[in-house]
Amino acid sequence: MLTKEPIVEPFPIPLGFGPLPGYRVQGIVRSPWQHPVQAAGLKHGWCCQCVDEYRANAWEETAAPFILLESEWKHWRSLPHTAAKRRWLRGRVAAKDAVRLLLMDRYNMAAALETISVLPNEHGQPQVHCTALPKTGAWVSVSISHCGNSSVALAAERSEASHGVGIDVAAQFESHEGLAEGGFVSTEMALLEDCPGEERSDWLLRLWCAKESVGKVLGFGLMGNPLNYLVRRVDRGASVVEVEIKLESSVTPQSKTRMAVNVGSDRGMTFAVAHREGN
Amino acid sequence: MSWPWQKPENEPKETLLQEVTQAIAQVLGCSSGRTHADIQPTAYLGADLGLSSIAVARLAGLLQKQHGKKPLPFHKLFVKPDGSMLQDIRVSDIVTFLEWHVLNSHP
């Protein structure tokens, strides 16, 4: 259901939540996180949202039935423990926010929560279903990533020129010992040889996020092996990382074997954004 | 007789379990809210311990540094014999993997 009237959510808005910026629409929406979209060249039809969770946000049992559709709620209930539930719910909030922001920006439409569902397919890739979309003739892809107490979602309008997006984030200031040995081969690490020592840790994370983001945009993830994606080129000046896709063609018939990924850092997080362009 | 700094040829599985448990605790960090007691052999890395893919890569890297004279094929842990993918593995799977690849490896 679409409405241009302000949406009033049927539950108290948790701490820090406010109206959709500039539109006076009530809802579980905060200011969008612009940095990843800017890093990717301010793409039209893209919206990114970051949701931080604080102890005061007691969403779970009270808010979940209002945030999630029945199919989502069943999935959420099946998750094994509280931490997984919190993270999953936070990711849905970010994803739905991003989709709602996108619909507002592109079509000046305020989509009610109950019109949007975000559920994983058999490979774990989130799929957006929005009853509002057939009317617009558009469809949306969304990618979700988690880091500490934050969840990030990037929603993008699909078209002939854009076949989807992938985003990944990682905590900038945590220890990442073992990542170089467990996530990369020597030829990849050699690309950071001329990187100043104080920047190397951040760039290592960017390279990791770049691999993850390509796995997400393809819809298969890392498939248990980070070496399914190899970093082949790093342009630190342009903040672009080129990733070679090593997955077998039987897994994913790809016309392109390399993908340029935009990377950056903001809010204490390193991020990477991959975009699967159409032909 | 062996030199005191050499590991015994048949390193007990218990020692490997301790090493894996310590490495998992290291990648989980103190902010995860989990303790050594949570890291049971039957625990799944993702579903039970909440390890993300970057944490699993770090874990592989830490164990590689401890044991690997040559790269250990950790990714094979996620592949079933029929070639299909496993979404999650148990702590004990890593111990068995290390036991086979490290203790039974020949120079």
Side-chain angles (χ1 to χ4, degrees):
Chain A
M1 182 180 72
L2 286 177
T3 173
K4 292 193 177 181
E5 296 300 313
I7 298 167
V8 180
E9 306 295 353
F11 64 93
I13 298 168
L15 180 71
F17 280 40
L20 194 65
Y23 298 103
R24 296 182 182 176
V25 177
Q26 293 277 322
I28 52 164
V29 179
R30 303 176 186 208
S31 300
W33 185 29
Q34 298 283 18
H35 221 80
V37 180
Q38 287 169 347
L42 276 174
K43 306 277 188 188
H44 287 294
W46 286 27
C47 280
C48 190
Q49 183 62 280
C50 178
V51 174
D52 303 310
E53 186 176 319
Y54 303 97
R55 203 171 283 273
N57 294 135
W59 295 346
E60 284 82 25
E61 296 299 335
T62 44
F66 299 100
I67 294 170
L68 304 175
L69 299 188
E70 188 180 355
S71 51
E72 296 171 308
W73 187 78
K74 283 179 179 171
H75 184 91
W76 174 77
R77 293 276 293 177
S78 73
L79 294 173
H81 49 75
T82 305
K85 284 182 173 178
R86 290 177 79 99
R87 201 175 77 144
W88 198 84
L89 183 60
R90 205 172 56 225
R92 297 312 106 171
V93 172
K96 292 186 181 204
D97 265 10
V99 172
R100 296 172 84 196
L101 280 164
L102 189 152
L103 291 174
M104 181 59 78
D105 279 347
R106 296 292 286 165
Y107 305 104
N108 196 30
M109 292 171 179
L113 268 178
E114 60 267 27
T115 66
I116 300 168
S117 77
V118 183
L119 278 167
N121 66 10
E122 68 271 26
H123 300 294
Q125 188 181 37
Q127 305 289 303
V128 180
H129 297 281
C130 180
T131 54
L133 291 176
K135 289 183 182 176
T136 66
W139 46 312
V140 170
S141 68
V142 72
S143 179
I144 301 171
S145 183
H146 309 278
C147 164
N149 287 329
S150 299
S151 290
V152 170
L154 175 62
E157 203 175 8
R158 286 190 166 192
S159 66
E160 284 187 6
S162 176
H163 289 184
V165 287
I167 190 167
D168 191 66
V169 293
Q172 235 180 326
F173 304 113
E174 288 181 1
S175 166
H176 297 290
E177 189 186 350
L179 182 60
E181 295 82 2
F184 300 92
V185 292
S186 56
T187 53
E188 294 176 291
M189 293 309 300
L191 296 169
L192 295 182
E193 266 176 7
D194 63 341
C195 185
E198 67 275 14
E199 294 178 20
R200 188 168 293 192
S201 169
D202 192 40
W203 271 99
L204 182 68
L205 267 190
R206 292 180 186 199
L207 265 51
W208 174 263
C209 291
K211 288 183 180 217
E212 290 255 40
S213 66
V214 172
K216 287 180 176 182
V217 76
L218 294 179
F220 295 98
L222 297 179
M223 295 194 74
N225 186 3
L227 305 187
N228 281 328
Y229 307 96
L230 293 181
V231 178
R232 291 302 192 196
R233 194 175 68 86
V234 178
D235 184 339
R236 296 206 311 277
S239 291
V240 172
V241 171
E242 197 171 280
V243 177
E244 183 179 5
I245 300 157
K246 303 291 284 183
L247 292 172
E248 292 176 12
S249 57
S250 58
V251 176
T252 171
Q254 283 298 306
S255 55
K256 290 179 182 173
T257 56
R258 292 194 180 201
M259 199 172 278
V261 180
N262 298 99
V263 295
S265 300
D266 188 36
R267 300 173 63 134
M269 291 186 286
T270 293
F271 64 82
V273 175
H275 178 210
R276 193 175 171 193
E277 294 176 349
N279 297 321
Chain B
M1 181 183 167
S2 61
W3 295 107
W5 55 83
Q6 283 182 321
K7 287 181 179 178
E9 277 188 18
N10 293 311
E11 192 170 12
K13 201 166 189 171
E14 195 59 35
T15 307
L16 284 175
L17 176 60
Q18 281 178 11
E19 287 181 11
V20 172
T21 302
Q22 282 176 358
I24 291 173
Q26 189 175 340
V27 299
L28 277 172
C30 54
S31 61
S32 70
R34 290 182 176 81
T35 65
H36 267 60
D38 296 323
I39 309 170
Q40 294 295 320
T42 54
Y44 280 100
L45 299 190
D48 297 326
L49 300 175
L51 261 67
S52 60
S53 50
I54 190 171
V56 173
R58 286 188 58 209
L59 175 63
L62 291 172
L63 295 172
Q64 172 74 47
K65 282 203 286 188
Q66 279 180 306
H67 290 284
K69 289 174 185 166
K70 55 184 181 180
L72 295 169
F74 281 100
H75 61 277
K76 290 187 176 175
L77 275 165
F78 289 89
V79 183
K80 292 183 198 172
D82 66 0
S84 59
M85 296 297 301
L86 279 167
Q87 293 299 315
D88 212 348
I89 57 172
R90 294 177 189 270
V91 173
S92 59
D93 296 330
I94 303 176
V95 176
T96 306
F97 168 87
L98 280 179
E99 191 177 40
W100 198 89
H101 280 281
V102 178
L103 301 182
N104 297 331
S105 67
H106 299 287

